[in-house]
Amino acid sequence: MEIADARGREAVLHLLMSGNLTTAHQIASVLAPRLSDPARFHVIECGVDRRAETIRICAELTGGRAWIVRCPVYSDHVLVVASATPVPADARPLEAALAAEIEGCVVGTGDTLALRDTAAGYEQAFHALAVAPGRPERWARFDAALGLPVVVGRHGHAWADRLLAPLIGHVPTRGTGPDSRTLTGTVRSWLTFSSTATRHMKIHRNTLASRLRHVETLLGLDLELVGDQAKLDLALRIAALPRVTGHGPTGTAQPDPAEDAFRTPDVG
């Protein structure tokens, strides 16, 4: 029963990360608890033999209202999708409480995001986790306002749209071929997990290789080159950001704070 429950929770997480919100909500309502929207993603590194204890403490600290999953890729990680409701001024944020209550663990936490952006939330928390071990409090929170995807502003959206257009608009010639959502989810997983994306996506390594070659053909990139990997990763991160209209409440165009990022300052 515990194994079945764990796999069901993992399945819901996969659905969230691939954007299948309706099905994810349906399954979550049966397994309980219901999914919170918006939410924060937390990644806890706790040691292989301490995951059960970590899950128990997570459930206690969140009052049983968070979605808690054993990471299918890293055997020493626990993933938590918790409500983003602001905590009282005299209370600890969840990441601080987790680090304090679970001896030796480190915690990375993402920004407050809608459930449809769960994949971006995981990436944020995963990057924050890399910083946490160097901090005395053993937790770190991702600050999206400092990220390059935000800095480049609407100019970045235009660039990402052009680069990703063949992938986003892809329609398979055969009914059994991978569609745009499948290819996008696969390459995002690969950029995050490298070869262990096979465990995350539950696919054979040959399937992973075939899908990556398909993406390369569509976008004209060579994913063996670090530069092309970085270019695609940045484009996907920009595409995941909320869109802005560029107009204020009165309908007048508003200046883009990222405008200067694309200007070369006068020198001398």
Side-chain angles (χ1 to χ4, degrees):
M1 289 177 63
E2 289 178 357
I3 292 173
D5 181 74
R7 289 179 177 171
R9 294 181 184 281
E10 182 184 329
V12 170
L13 184 62
H14 280 297
L15 290 167
L16 288 174
M17 294 184 75
S18 61
N20 294 297
L21 297 187
T22 300
T23 307
H25 277 293
Q26 290 172 341
I27 299 176
S29 66
V30 174
L31 294 176
R34 293 183 178 274
L35 296 166
S36 298
D37 194 0
R40 281 188 186 274
F41 208 114
H42 307 264
V43 179
I44 307 166
E45 186 177 293
C46 58
V48 177
D49 58 344
R50 301 196 63 187
R51 288 213 291 187
E53 175 192 3
T54 298
I55 290 171
R56 177 183 60 77
I57 294 174
C58 286
E60 291 176 355
L61 290 175
T62 60
R65 294 186 295 273
W67 198 256
I68 306 170
V69 182
R70 294 172 184 263
C71 180
V73 178
Y74 297 106
S75 58
D76 58 346
H77 286 188
V78 171
L79 312 178
V80 181
V81 182
S83 171
T85 304
V87 298
D90 58 344
R92 297 178 297 183
L94 179 58
E95 54 270 28
L98 290 168
E101 296 296 329
I102 306 171
E103 184 179 356
C105 81
V106 290
V107 185
T109 297
D111 236 352
T112 297
L113 295 172
L115 274 181
R116 65 176 179 274
D117 298 320
T118 297
Y122 172 79
E123 291 175 1
Q124 291 180 354
F126 190 74
H127 283 291
L129 183 69
V131 177
R135 297 167 61 94
E137 57 269 35
R138 304 197 324 279
W139 62 268
R141 179 179 290 182
F142 187 89
D143 188 349
L146 300 179
L148 183 58
V150 173
V151 171
V152 296
R154 66 172 182 268
H155 297 280
H157 274 300
W159 169 79
D161 288 345
R162 289 194 301 271
L163 177 67
L164 297 174
L167 175 60
I168 302 303
H170 170 66
V171 177
T173 55
R174 297 178 300 165
T176 57
D179 60 12
S180 172
R181 175 179 289 182
T182 300
L183 291 175
T184 302
T186 300
V187 77
R188 289 190 69 155
S189 177
W190 177 75
L191 288 167
T192 301
F193 299 117
S194 188
S195 60
T196 54
T198 54
R199 296 208 298 266
H200 176 232
M201 298 295 295
K202 300 294 187 291
I203 56 178
H204 192 272
R205 64 178 181 274
N206 291 343
T207 303
L208 174 63
S210 175
R211 291 180 183 176
L212 293 178
R213 287 195 298 270
H214 203 151
V215 172
E216 287 180 320
T217 301
L218 288 171
L219 300 182
L221 299 176
D222 182 352
L223 294 181
E224 291 188 4
L225 300 177
V226 174
D228 281 4
Q229 292 177 26
K231 184 187 298 185
L232 178 55
D233 182 65
L234 177 58
L236 290 169
R237 291 177 188 278
I238 292 173
L241 294 174
R243 300 281 172 150
V244 295
T245 61
H247 292 81
T250 61
T252 58
Q254 298 296 302
D256 185 348
E259 194 86 32
D260 291 337
F262 289 84
R263 293 178 180 154
T264 303
D266 295 331
V267 179

